Coordinates of all heavy atoms in Angstrom, one line a residue:
H657 N 0.8 -1.2 0.0 CA 0.0 0.0 0.0 C 0.9 1.2 0.0 O 2.1 1.2 0.1 CB -0.9 0.0 1.2 CG -0.2 0.0 2.5 ND1 0.2 1.2 3.2 CD2 0.2 -1.0 3.3 CE1 0.8 0.9 4.3 NE2 0.8 -0.4 4.4
D658 N 0.2 2.4 -0.1 CA 0.9 3.7 -0.1 C 1.9 3.8 -1.2 O 3.1 4.2 -1.1 CB 1.6 4.0 1.3 CG 1.8 5.4 1.5 OD1 1.2 6.2 0.8 OD2 2.6 5.8 2.4
L659 N 1.5 3.3 -2.4 CA 2.4 3.3 -3.6 C 2.5 4.7 -4.2 O 1.5 5.4 -4.4 CB 1.8 2.4 -4.6 CG 2.5 2.3 -6.0 CD1 3.9 1.9 -5.9 CD2 1.7 1.4 -7.0
R660 N 3.7 5.2 -4.3 CA 3.9 6.5 -4.9 C 5.0 6.5 -6.0 O 5.9 5.6 -5.9 CB 4.4 7.5 -3.8 CG 3.3 7.8 -2.7 CD 3.7 8.9 -1.8 NE 4.9 8.5 -1.0 CZ 5.5 9.3 -0.1 NH1 5.0 10.6 0.0 NH2 6.6 8.9 0.6
S661 N 5.0 7.4 -6.9 CA 6.0 7.4 -7.9 C 6.3 8.9 -8.3 O 5.5 9.8 -8.1 CB 5.5 6.7 -9.2 OG 4.4 7.4 -9.8
R662 N 7.4 9.1 -8.9 CA 7.8 10.4 -9.5 C 8.8 10.1 -10.6 O 9.6 9.2 -10.6 CB 8.3 11.4 -8.5 CG 9.6 10.9 -7.8 CD 10.0 11.9 -6.7 NE 11.3 11.5 -6.0 CZ 12.5 11.9 -6.4 NH1 12.6 12.7 -7.4 NH2 13.5 11.5 -5.7
V663 N 8.7 11.0 -11.6 CA 9.6 10.8 -12.8 C 10.7 12.0 -12.7 O 10.3 13.1 -12.6 CB 8.8 10.9 -14.1 CG1 9.8 10.8 -15.3 CG2 7.8 9.8 -14.1
A664 N 11.9 11.6 -12.9 CA 13.0 12.6 -13.0 C 13.9 12.2 -14.2 O 14.8 11.4 -14.0 CB 13.8 12.6 -11.7
G665 N 13.7 12.7 -15.3 CA 14.5 12.4 -16.5 C 14.3 10.9 -16.9 O 13.2 10.4 -17.0
S666 N 15.5 10.2 -16.9 CA 15.5 8.8 -17.3 C 15.2 7.9 -16.1 O 15.0 6.7 -16.3 CB 16.8 8.4 -17.9 OG 17.9 8.7 -16.9
A667 N 15.0 8.5 -14.9 CA 14.8 7.7 -13.7 C 13.3 7.8 -13.3 O 12.7 8.8 -13.4 CB 15.7 8.1 -12.6
T668 N 12.8 6.6 -12.8 CA 11.4 6.6 -12.3 C 11.5 6.1 -10.9 O 11.9 5.0 -10.6 CB 10.5 5.7 -13.1 OG1 10.4 6.2 -14.4 CG2 9.1 5.7 -12.5
F669 N 11.2 7.0 -9.9 CA 11.4 6.6 -8.5 C 10.0 6.0 -8.0 O 9.0 6.7 -8.2 CB 11.7 7.8 -7.7 CG 13.1 8.3 -7.9 CD1 13.4 9.2 -8.9 CD2 14.2 7.9 -7.1 CE1 14.7 9.7 -9.2 CE2 15.5 8.3 -7.3 CZ 15.7 9.2 -8.4
I670 N 10.1 4.8 -7.4 CA 8.9 4.1 -7.0 C 9.1 3.7 -5.5 O 10.2 3.2 -5.2 CB 8.6 2.9 -7.8 CG1 8.5 3.3 -9.3 CG2 7.4 2.1 -7.3 CD1 8.6 2.1 -10.3
E671 N 8.1 4.0 -4.7 CA 8.2 3.5 -3.3 C 6.8 3.1 -2.8 O 5.8 3.6 -3.2 CB 8.8 4.6 -2.4 CG 8.0 5.9 -2.4 CD 8.6 7.0 -1.5 OE1 9.6 7.6 -1.9 OE2 8.0 7.2 -0.4
F672 N 6.9 2.1 -1.9 CA 5.6 1.6 -1.3 C 5.9 0.8 0.0 O 7.1 0.5 0.3 CB 4.8 0.8 -2.3 CG 5.6 -0.4 -2.8 CD1 5.5 -1.7 -2.2 CD2 6.4 -0.4 -3.9 CE1 6.2 -2.8 -2.6 CE2 7.1 -1.5 -4.4 CZ 7.0 -2.7 -3.7
H673 N 4.9 0.5 0.7 CA 5.0 -0.3 1.9 C 4.5 -1.7 1.6 O 3.5 -1.9 0.9 CB 4.1 0.3 3.1 CG 4.5 1.6 3.6 ND1 4.3 2.0 4.9 CD2 5.2 2.6 3.0 CE1 4.8 3.2 5.1 NE2 5.4 3.6 4.0
L674 N 5.3 -2.7 2.1 CA 5.0 -4.1 1.9 C 4.7 -4.7 3.3 O 5.6 -4.7 4.1 CB 6.1 -4.8 1.2 CG 5.9 -6.2 0.8 CD1 4.9 -6.3 -0.3 CD2 7.2 -6.9 0.4
V675 N 3.5 -5.3 3.4 CA 3.1 -5.9 4.7 C 3.4 -7.4 4.6 O 2.9 -8.1 3.6 CB 1.6 -5.7 5.0 CG1 1.3 -6.3 6.3 CG2 1.4 -4.2 5.1
V676 N 4.2 -7.9 5.5 CA 4.5 -9.4 5.5 C 4.1 -9.9 6.9 O 4.0 -9.2 7.9 CB 6.0 -9.6 5.2 CG1 6.4 -9.1 3.9 CG2 6.9 -9.0 6.3
P677 N 3.9 -11.3 7.0 CA 3.6 -11.9 8.3 C 4.7 -11.5 9.3 O 5.9 -11.4 9.0 CB 3.6 -13.4 8.0 CG 3.3 -13.5 6.6 CD 4.0 -12.3 5.9
A678 N 4.3 -11.2 10.6 CA 5.2 -10.8 11.6 C 6.2 -11.9 11.9 O 7.4 -11.6 12.4 CB 4.4 -10.5 12.9
S679 N 5.9 -13.2 11.7 CA 6.8 -14.3 11.9 C 7.8 -14.5 10.8 O 8.7 -15.3 11.0 CB 6.0 -15.6 12.1 OG 5.2 -15.9 11.0
M680 N 7.7 -13.8 9.7 CA 8.6 -14.0 8.6 C 10.0 -13.5 8.9 O 10.1 -12.4 9.5 CB 8.1 -13.3 7.3 CG 8.9 -13.5 6.1 SD 8.2 -12.8 4.6 CE 6.9 -14.0 4.2
T681 N 11.0 -14.2 8.5 CA 12.4 -13.7 8.8 C 12.8 -12.6 7.8 O 12.1 -12.4 6.8 CB 13.4 -14.9 8.5 OG1 13.4 -15.2 7.1 CG2 13.0 -16.1 9.4
V682 N 13.8 -11.8 8.2 CA 14.3 -10.7 7.4 C 14.8 -11.3 6.1 O 14.5 -10.7 5.0 CB 15.4 -10.0 8.1 CG1 16.1 -9.0 7.2 CG2 15.0 -9.3 9.4
G683 N 15.4 -12.4 6.1 CA 15.9 -13.0 4.8 C 14.8 -13.3 3.9 O 14.9 -13.1 2.7
D684 N 13.7 -13.9 4.4 CA 12.5 -14.3 3.5 C 11.8 -13.0 3.0 O 11.4 -13.0 1.8 CB 11.5 -15.1 4.3 CG 12.0 -16.5 4.5 OD1 13.0 -16.9 3.8 OD2 11.5 -17.2 5.5
S685 N 11.7 -12.0 3.8 CA 11.0 -10.8 3.3 C 11.9 -10.1 2.3 O 11.4 -9.5 1.3 CB 10.7 -9.8 4.5 OG 11.9 -9.4 5.1
H686 N 13.2 -10.2 2.5 CA 14.2 -9.6 1.5 C 14.1 -10.3 0.2 O 14.2 -9.7 -0.9 CB 15.6 -9.7 2.0 CG 16.6 -8.9 1.2 ND1 17.3 -9.4 0.2 CD2 17.0 -7.6 1.3 CE1 18.1 -8.5 -0.4 NE2 17.9 -7.4 0.3
T687 N 13.9 -11.6 0.2 CA 13.7 -12.4 -1.0 C 12.5 -11.9 -1.8 O 12.5 -11.8 -3.0 CB 13.6 -13.9 -0.7 OG1 14.8 -14.3 -0.1 CG2 13.4 -14.7 -2.0
I688 N 11.4 -11.7 -1.1 CA 10.2 -11.2 -1.7 C 10.4 -9.8 -2.4 O 10.0 -9.5 -3.5 CB 9.0 -11.1 -0.7 CG1 8.6 -12.5 -0.2 CG2 7.8 -10.4 -1.4 CD1 7.6 -12.4 0.9

């Protein structure tokens, strides 16, 4: 959620929040 974007020349900046299970490890969430 909270997906946002902006365009700056050849770059497109994209950011958002990703909700994962609280029990998920940092490594597994990083893989996603």
Side-chain angles (χ1 to χ4, degrees):
H657 62 88
D658 205 13
L659 173 61
R660 295 187 296 178
S661 69
R662 63 185 178 93
V663 179
S666 59
T668 300
F669 291 86
I670 302 165
E671 60 181 73
F672 58 92
H673 291 210
L674 184 70
V675 181
V676 300
S679 59
M680 181 175 286
T681 65
V682 173
D684 288 341
S685 63
H686 189 270
T687 298
I688 296 174

